[in-house]
């Protein structure tokens, strides 16, 4: 039975991964959450024997280590696919354009530190602790859910001036995923940074707080793809992402791909 770990599984894209993966009864899905599960995830676990909720705060390596041990106990010490979806969206200062941190150096340090602490270090904790299980799995795939916010070309194209810490951390972890690919190739382990597209989640809704702001964001996204009419649903995004994950080859290991399976179509 293929085994999957999904971090940040309590809502949005992470929860949708758990839903769609557990639709297939042969999959065993471990939903990693930092806080007690919400009603939707708890109900899913109660109604589906192939869903297991595991508590873990990925910002603390000891917590991740305990989670990996628990998963290993239930799978016979192996894991097929690790989906690193958990992320820190940034502090309130994420709305500041880069130059406006002049005189706000303490806030800049906090903004970058909060994002890097989860989106880079936390992800590395997860990969390192679950790697012994991946080594014994059959599919041997490590996925990092990234964002166009971490791509220089996309940032220049659409004109993103804020989310400095978030974008920096995503860019940094995409590089780290390439390093894991280079290290683990000889073991047949594949890594991938995968962008979900422009998806309607709690995070994006929190950023787009009014119709006016949403319209500005839409116009920015249309600079990258004129055909975009609005945000995708998590259901659509995850369906597309799972196709990319399923088709991942060793030749693609370490790459950054969009939900379309290409390198440039971020939205």
């Amino acid at each position: 039975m293929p085994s999957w770990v999904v971090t940040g599984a309590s809502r949005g894209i992470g929860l949708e991964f758990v839903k769609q993966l557990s639709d297939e009864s042969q999959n065993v899905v471990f939903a990693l959450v930092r806080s007690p599960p919400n009603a939707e995830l708890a109900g899913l676990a109660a109604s589906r024997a192939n869903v297991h909720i595991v508590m873990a705060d990925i910002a603390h390596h000891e917590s991740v280590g305990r989670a990996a041990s628990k998963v290993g106990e239930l799978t016979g010490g192996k894991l097929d696919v690790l989906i690193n979806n958990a992320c820190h969206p940034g502090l309130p200062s994420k709305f500041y354009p880069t130059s406006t941190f002049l005189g706000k150096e303490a806030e800049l340090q906090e903004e970058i530190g909060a994002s890097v602490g989860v989106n880079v270090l936390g992800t590395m904790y997860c990969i390192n602790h679950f790697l012994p299980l991946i080594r014994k799995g059959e599919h041997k795939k490590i996925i990092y859910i990234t964002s166009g916010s971490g791509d220089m070309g996309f940032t220049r194209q659409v004109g993103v001036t804020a989310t400095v810490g978030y974008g920096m951390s995503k860019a940094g972890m995409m590089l780290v995923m390439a390093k894991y690919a280079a290290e683990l190739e000889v073991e047949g382990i594949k890594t991938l940074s995968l962008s979900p597209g422009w998806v309607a989640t709690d995070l994006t809704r929190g950023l787009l707080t009014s119709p006016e702001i949403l319209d500005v964001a839409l116009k920015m996204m249309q600079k990258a793809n004129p055909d975009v009419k609005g945000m995708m649903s998590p259901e659509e995004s995850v369906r597309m992402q799972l196709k990319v994950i399923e088709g991942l080859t060793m030749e693609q290991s370490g790459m950054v791909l969009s939900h379309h399976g290409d390198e440039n179509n971020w939205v």
Side-chain angles (χ1 to χ4, degrees):
M1 299 177 71
S3 52
W4 302 69
V5 162
V6 180
T7 70
S10 61
R11 57 188 177 182
I13 291 171
L15 179 59
E16 187 60 31
F17 267 119
V18 175
K19 288 179 183 177
Q20 293 192 28
L21 288 169
S22 63
D23 280 341
E24 304 293 333
S25 59
Q26 73 271 18
N27 288 330
V28 179
V29 186
F30 296 92
L32 265 62
V33 295
R34 184 181 61 178
S35 305
N38 57 29
E40 188 171 9
L41 179 58
L44 198 64
S47 63
R48 297 183 177 182
N50 61 339
V51 175
H52 304 272
I53 297 174
V54 179
M55 300 293 294
D57 183 346
I58 72 165
H60 299 280
H61 68 88
E62 299 95 340
S63 178
V64 178
R66 289 191 293 270
S69 295
K70 182 172 182 179
V71 170
E73 291 172 2
L74 296 173
T75 63
K78 60 184 180 180
L79 177 66
D80 288 302
V81 185
L82 169 62
I83 299 180
N84 294 283
N85 169 73
C87 80
H88 194 296
L91 302 173
S93 53
K94 63 178 174 283
F95 296 109
Y96 297 170
T98 49
S99 65
T100 59
F101 280 100
L102 180 64
K104 300 181 177 69
E105 285 74 19
E107 292 175 71
L108 177 59
Q109 290 182 10
E110 291 173 355
E111 176 66 27
I112 292 175
S115 296
V116 170
V118 173
N119 302 343
V120 178
L121 295 177
T123 302
M124 292 182 70
Y125 297 155
C126 286
I127 293 174
N128 289 344
H129 276 291
F130 281 100
L131 187 55
L133 307 185
I134 290 286
R135 286 188 167 113
K136 296 179 181 179
E138 179 180 351
H139 298 286
K140 301 182 188 296
K141 295 178 181 179
I142 301 172
I143 311 299
Y144 176 59
I145 305 303
T146 187
S147 167
S149 296
D151 180 75
M152 288 184 288
F154 178 80
T155 297
R156 293 176 62 213
Q157 185 178 31
V158 304
V160 178
T161 62
T163 61
V164 177
Y166 177 79
M168 182 186 300
S169 63
K170 289 295 184 180
M173 193 60 213
M174 287 191 281
L175 174 61
V176 174
M177 290 297 286
K179 291 183 179 295
Y180 275 115
E183 176 187 354
L184 301 174
E185 179 182 8
V186 295
E187 300 182 60
I189 297 173
K190 309 176 191 71
T191 80
L192 178 68
S193 296
L194 178 59
S195 173
W198 193 32
V199 187
T201 64
D202 291 346
L203 171 59
T204 51
R205 293 188 190 98
L207 292 172
L208 307 174
T209 53
S210 71
E212 293 78 15
I213 295 176
L214 177 59
D215 185 62
V216 170
L218 177 59
K219 287 181 170 61
M220 291 173 65
M221 295 300 174
Q222 287 174 336
K223 293 178 182 178
N225 183 349
D227 296 328
V228 171
K229 305 301 181 186
M231 290 183 283
M232 289 187 297
S233 67
E235 293 85 351
E236 180 183 5
S237 172
V238 168
R239 277 196 302 271
M240 297 176 74
Q241 290 183 77
L242 285 174
K243 289 181 181 178
V244 178
I245 294 170
E246 181 181 0
L248 179 62
T249 66
M250 187 57 73
E251 290 71 28
Q252 294 172 316
S253 186
M255 292 180 65
V256 181
L257 297 178
S258 77
H259 55 296
H260 298 283
D262 58 28
E263 296 184 70
N264 300 306
N265 194 358
W266 291 99
V267 294

